[in-house]
Amino acid sequence: MKKIALGLLALIIILTVAGWWVLRGDPAQYSVAQVTGLDPVFAEPDPQTIPTVEVAKPVGWGEGAPQAAEGFTVSRFATGLEHPRVIYAMPNGDILVAEANAPERVVAGGGITNFVAGILFSRAGAGVPSPDKVVLLRDADGDGAAEARSVLLQGVASPSGMAWRDGKLYLATHDGVWRYDYAEGATSITGKPERLMTLPGGGNHWMRNLVLSPDGTHLYVAVGSASNIGEGGMDKEDGRAAIHELDLTTGESRIYASGLRNPNGLDWNPWTGELWVTVNERDMLGSDLVPDYLTNVPIGVNYGWPWVYWKDVVDERVTAPMPLYLTDYTRKPEYALGPHVAALGLAFTQEGSRMGTGFSHGAFIARHGSWNRKPPSGYDLVYVAFDERGNPEGLPKPVLKSFLADKGETHGRPTWVAWDKTGALLLSDDTANTIWRIEAPGAAPAAAPKRNAGARLPPQRELNGDPAQAFDNPPADLLPGSF
């Protein structure tokens, strides 16, 4: 019996040490600030069979509220929602809320991965069944709180992205894009929808965001990957990790941009007219890799997923054959938002926004929060300033500070952003089931953004040597003023 007891004790010690080794993960070498911005520090990749895990358990706010940066106040616009994710502001000020969670799905990586993922999702507050609803909130008296609530749609499959124009509501579910007849101000939708696109459903990333082109003729649809790095097979990634463009006149669609592991927030840069997006990058390379990012999306662009990140850093774990000359045409992201912050909602400042002079020319981004970084990152709302030419600059500024509590817990998780009719910013918190309202009291409304304008480059009339250098060292007859 003594030998058996000693053997059991030795086994317990071995299992304890092994558990500690597995759970200790890979602590970050750098601060979030060092791996953020225009020139982030890149650590050496540390491929992991078992990921670093540090999941913050949501505990709610009670009577408390997020801590706002100096000059801002925060209040409750709406409470008692069911897992609110995407929020969309109608022209009349009504706020549409997609109450949703993941559909029934298989996470790439096999049975053990799915079992562990289920535990992690549950602890992070993402394990609840999807409410599958779109709700309308109305602040008719303009006091900063919604006093009316209506269910517009129910029974839609994990709804997320929304857009509206000319009596038509566009809605993305995890497996399609739909169009409903919807008169602005109505509190219900009774007609049957028209299916505009079929999308690859479920997968590791199930949200599908939408944005209309400024002229209302095209719809842009963000679809995330089915896996981390294509480990389920690249045939499962057809139509994923991409932004689609749908022509609403002809019904035809095409891949507008690709190589984006999990694109989320979509908005039009008001100074350049370009489409911009937030993207969640890959996992299991350590706490310092790879930074999520904010970037522009020129037509035809490729950002390299799954084979490379940050233009030309090859991910050696990927087993699928890399396309020829990939790094010759992949694009480097414009701005790093920090590794594993889970950047989601994006909203550029607009005419009438009331956030103060230091926050009147840039973008607001909800960072949902990490599950696989030590220490955790994200769990906040930040502002990225843009220069006069419409490019990001500096480091993110906090607007709502960290939602994290003590002892591995978090009060909530910032998810999506939209402007209310008064110029205040709304932020959904999907685990606290709340929409927060942030404003700078007394701030003057922002002026309308001024679009950049400039002379076009002269046409290239001859090739001298390397064509790529023609614009760096142009011939004399191509210099401005020579013709």
Side-chain angles (χ1 to χ4, degrees):
M1 293 296 294
K2 185 176 180 180
K3 290 180 179 180
I4 292 174
L6 289 173
L8 288 173
L9 179 61
L11 180 61
I12 291 170
I13 292 172
I14 291 171
L15 291 175
T16 300
V17 171
W20 170 82
W21 177 259
V22 167
L23 295 176
R24 66 181 289 274
D26 171 41
Q29 304 174 50
Y30 303 107
S31 68
V32 174
Q34 289 176 292
V35 288
T36 302
L38 296 171
D39 189 24
V41 174
F42 275 82
E44 287 297 316
D46 179 21
Q48 298 174 331
T49 303
I50 300 173
T52 297
V53 174
E54 185 159 334
V55 179
K57 180 180 179 181
V59 295
W61 290 95
E63 297 300 316
Q67 182 183 358
E70 184 178 357
F72 294 108
T73 61
V74 58
S75 60
R76 288 169 169 81
F77 180 79
T79 59
L81 297 161
E82 294 184 72
H83 215 256
R85 298 282 287 184
V86 174
I87 51 179
Y88 179 78
M90 294 287 291
N92 70 346
D94 286 345
I95 302 299
L96 308 187
V97 184
E99 296 184 325
N101 205 352
E104 291 292 327
R105 57 181 175 155
V106 175
V107 175
I112 294 177
T113 298
N114 276 263
F115 175 74
V116 174
I119 295 174
L120 298 180
F121 292 152
S122 178
R123 178 172 173 80
V128 299
S130 180
D132 290 346
K133 291 190 293 184
V134 176
V135 175
L136 180 147
L137 302 175
R138 180 171 293 161
D139 175 18
D141 58 11
D143 66 350
E147 68 274 359
R149 184 177 307 186
S150 307
V151 176
L152 284 185
L153 293 168
Q154 195 156 13
V156 285
S158 299
S160 45
M162 293 173 283
W164 182 90
R165 190 180 178 106
D166 297 334
K168 304 292 184 182
L169 176 67
Y170 301 89
L171 175 69
T173 61
H174 79 97
D175 58 359
V177 178
W178 308 81
R179 180 165 57 194
Y180 295 81
D181 289 327
Y182 176 58
E184 187 177 17
T187 56
S188 64
I189 296 176
T190 56
K192 291 186 177 180
E194 175 188 4
R195 187 168 200 151
L196 302 181
M197 286 184 71
T198 297
L199 301 176
N204 286 25
H205 306 112
W206 58 272
M207 286 185 65
R208 311 286 182 252
N209 192 25
L210 301 179
V211 68
L212 278 165
S213 62
D215 63 4
T217 61
H218 292 79
L219 192 66
Y220 297 85
V221 187
V223 180
S225 67
S227 62
N228 182 34
I229 52 169
E231 64 273 19
M234 291 305 292
D235 59 316
K236 305 290 195 306
E237 304 296 345
D238 187 32
R240 294 181 180 266
I243 296 173
H244 298 250
E245 180 187 64
L246 173 65
D247 188 320
L248 294 174
T249 302
T250 66
E252 296 180 353
S253 65
R254 62 176 176 174
I255 297 292
Y256 183 83
S258 58
L260 304 127
R261 177 176 174 267
N262 185 21
N264 284 287
L266 294 169
D267 201 6
W268 297 98
N269 183 318
W271 307 286
T272 66
E274 290 180 302
L275 181 63
W276 282 63
V277 66
T278 58
V279 179
N280 291 182
E281 254 292 353
R282 66 203 68 206
D283 298 323
M284 299 176 67
L285 284 178
S287 289
D288 291 309
L289 289 175
V290 174
D292 296 343
Y293 57 87
L294 168 69
T295 196
N296 58 346
V297 192
I299 184 170
V301 72
N302 188 303
Y303 280 97
W305 184 89
W307 295 278
V308 299
Y309 56 88
W310 218 254
K311 180 170 175 55
D312 56 6
V313 183
V314 176
D315 191 334
E316 301 290 351
R317 302 171 299 169
V318 179
T319 57
M322 183 187 297
L324 292 174
Y325 313 114
L326 179 67
T327 58
D328 288 345
Y329 58 82
T330 48
R331 185 180 178 92
K332 187 177 79 170
E334 292 293 316
Y335 190 89
L337 290 168
H340 312 298
V341 298
L344 295 181
L346 163 68
F348 282 103
T349 50
Q350 63 179 22
E351 183 178 7
S353 56
R354 296 175 180 266
M355 302 299 281
T357 55
F359 296 82
S360 61
H361 198 276
F364 293 84
I365 299 164
R367 301 195 297 188
H368 200 225
S370 63
W371 63 267
N372 58 341
R373 185 179 190 272
K374 291 188 175 184
S377 56
Y379 296 95
D380 57 8
L381 172 67
V382 297
Y383 169 81
V384 176
F386 275 58
D387 63 22
E388 294 303 316
R389 296 176 62 85
N391 299 310
E393 60 182 358
L395 293 176
K397 298 180 182 179
V399 179
L400 293 185
K401 299 181 181 180
S402 177
F403 282 32
L404 291 169
D406 297 328
K407 301 176 182 177
E409 296 175 333
T410 183
H411 296 293
R413 300 192 76 185
T415 307
W416 216 257
V417 285
W419 296 103
D420 79 0
K421 63 183 179 182
T422 71
L425 189 68
L426 301 179
L427 170 74
S428 61
D429 181 341
D430 67 354
T431 61
N433 296 318
T434 298
I435 293 178
W436 302 101
R437 181 177 182 273
I438 306 101
E439 65 175 342
K450 186 177 180 181
R451 281 288 296 272
N452 291 335
R456 293 179 177 272
L457 290 173
Q460 187 174 350
R461 298 178 177 175
E462 63 181 76
L463 296 178
N464 292 325
D466 181 1
Q469 302 300 316
F471 291 99
D472 293 332
N473 300 290
D477 68 330
L478 289 183
L479 292 173
S482 65
F483 54 89

